[in-house]
DNA sequence: GAACATAATTCATTATAGTAAACAATATGG
DNA sequence: CCATATTGTTTACTATAATGAATTATGTTC
């Protein structure tokens, strides 16, 4: 997976293994083997390659998931049994009452460990979430994503979803909820 | 650096090297050496550790990384977003290109004295502005309002309008623009 | 402070990441 | 065609990542 990303970016930039080797100080033999997924590079090597390609290391690691990711069952149970509804979560409604059911905007603050669980909204409802401070984990269905300050995510929320602050500092997010009342939008 | 992050998160979770070793399938000897920065782990090993800690691998590799933007509709997919800067105004586009002309979201940073002037948008276009840091003055037509951190305003912007930072500190706002394209929506 | 338990570090060994150099494959030109 | 670069792969070797077992440190309880 890492190899595919490296090769894709290298080919896109139109540079050879030799050039990338010079720019990254990684031998072209190693680059060849990494791209062919024959070896298991160290983080230091991937760092060098990322610098040589002038991309962020996450660009190279994206999609590089471990084959089998299993949910830790004990932890999952812990989370589901917590009854922290609006406990440690402060919701600040920005949008006026006239917009309820249309387009709603909030500032939401999470204390350490706080979580906000939402049941499925009406069909085609979308949420737009921007992290203003700290970090949160957003889980919608089976998908789960960790986000930091400055990160943005949008997702359909016609399934149950949760937002939780796993860090050791308060987290603040900006949330926009749009209720797509049978609009013909994409 | 990776070692520091791993140890910090492990200590925060209150688990031992032995437990993390079981959860990650990485020997505690290796974990010890990685935390002490005595070795140079492979990405596969760091992946296993990240899974054991239930964090994203970027959490472990990060020093200070650029904010990442995620666009998730039904599944995770990447988007391209634009960043423009001119005259002390930095515009950070959050929403994906697929939403242009529909619902757009931005983080906009103003240096001291900077101002952003917008011509009239299409009819019935609305803007929703939240001040995240500092203070700004919003002028639409003859109306003018001063806003500070935490304030929220919504206004129709089918006339020229400007946003300016009159203070002596940088200002940051969150902006939502909705183009009401003759929809039957309220 | 001896005895016990638990946590983290070192030690000895194996597996493999990483390199330089040789090799193979693909052009480009005369 | 042959010669000569240019690009990517394979080989031979060295450095070191990774492991399990032994060792040292850190508590706890009697």
């Amino acid at each position: 997976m890492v190899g595919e990303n490296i090769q894709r970016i290298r080919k896109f930039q139109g540079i050879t293994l030799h050039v990338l080797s010079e720019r990254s100080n990684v031998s072209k033999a190693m680059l060849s083997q990494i791209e062919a997924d024959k070896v298991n590079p160290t983080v230091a090597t991937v760092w060098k390659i990322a610098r040589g390609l002038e991309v962020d290391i996450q660009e190279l690691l994206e999609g590089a998931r471990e084959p089998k990711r299993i949910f830790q069952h004990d932890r999952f149970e812990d989370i589901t049994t917590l009854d922290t509804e609006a406990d440690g979560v402060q919701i600040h409604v920005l949008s006026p009452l006239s917009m309820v059911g249309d387009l709603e905007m909030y500032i939401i603050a999470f204390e350490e460990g706080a979580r906000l669980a939402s049941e499925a909204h009406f069909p085609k409802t979308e949420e737009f979430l921007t992290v203003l401070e700290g970090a949160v984990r957003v889980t919608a269905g089976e998908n789960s994503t960790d986000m930091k300050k400055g990160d943005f995510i949008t997702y359909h929320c016609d399934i149950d979803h949760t937002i939780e602050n796993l860090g050791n500092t308060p987290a603040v997010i900006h949330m926009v909820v749009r209720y797509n009342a049978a609009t013909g939008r994409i």
Side-chain angles (χ1 to χ4, degrees), chain A:
Chain A
M1 293 291 189
V2 182
E4 293 175 24
N5 291 328
I6 291 171
Q7 189 170 67
R8 191 190 69 247
I9 296 172
R10 180 176 65 83
K11 290 272 177 69
F12 178 75
Q13 294 186 3
I15 63 175
T16 68
L17 288 178
H18 177 68
V19 172
L20 179 56
S21 175
E22 285 181 334
R23 293 186 182 172
S24 61
N25 287 317
V26 175
S27 67
K28 65 174 182 174
M30 181 50 52
L31 292 173
S32 174
Q33 295 180 57
I34 291 170
E35 288 190 353
D37 206 14
K38 297 298 289 176
V39 292
N40 182 6
T42 64
V43 287
T45 299
V46 178
W47 261 114
K48 291 194 223 165
I49 295 170
R51 284 187 49 175
L53 290 170
E54 294 183 357
V55 299
D56 203 28
I57 189 170
Q58 70 198 38
E59 289 278 333
L60 304 183
L61 298 174
E62 236 160 63
R65 296 287 136 81
E66 278 265 317
K68 305 154 196 143
R69 176 175 173 93
I70 301 167
F71 232 62
Q72 297 280 357
H73 209 277
D74 49 343
R75 293 226 161 201
F76 188 76
E77 295 276 324
D78 287 342
I79 289 172
T80 50
T81 51
L82 286 173
D83 54 347
T84 56
E85 195 68 29
D87 189 276
V89 179
Q90 185 182 3
I91 302 179
H92 186 64
V93 183
L94 300 168
S95 49
L97 280 175
S98 63
M99 291 182 64
V100 167
D102 175 29
L103 190 68
E104 300 170 6
M105 267 156 272
Y106 311 90
I107 297 287
I108 307 177
F110 296 81
E111 294 177 8
E112 296 91 298
R115 64 191 292 273
L116 179 65
S118 301
E119 295 178 359
H121 294 193
F122 291 102
K124 297 198 175 168
T125 299
E126 290 168 298
E127 286 187 6
F128 307 92
L129 194 161
T130 312
V131 179
L132 305 179
E133 294 294 338
V136 296
R137 171 173 294 176
V138 181
T139 306
E142 303 126 15
N143 293 325
S144 187
T145 306
D146 290 320
M147 304 175 63
K148 297 184 117 139
K149 179 174 182 175
D151 291 350
F152 173 79
I153 193 173
T154 169
Y155 51 91
H156 290 284
C157 45
D158 45 6
I159 53 177
D160 292 358
H161 55 284
T162 63
I163 303 161
E164 49 193 330
N165 177 11
L166 298 178
N168 49 7
T169 60
V172 183
I173 67 173
H174 185 288
M175 166 85 78
V176 178
V177 182
R178 169 160 68 167
Y179 297 89
N180 259 3
T183 313
R185 209 187 73 77
I186 310 163

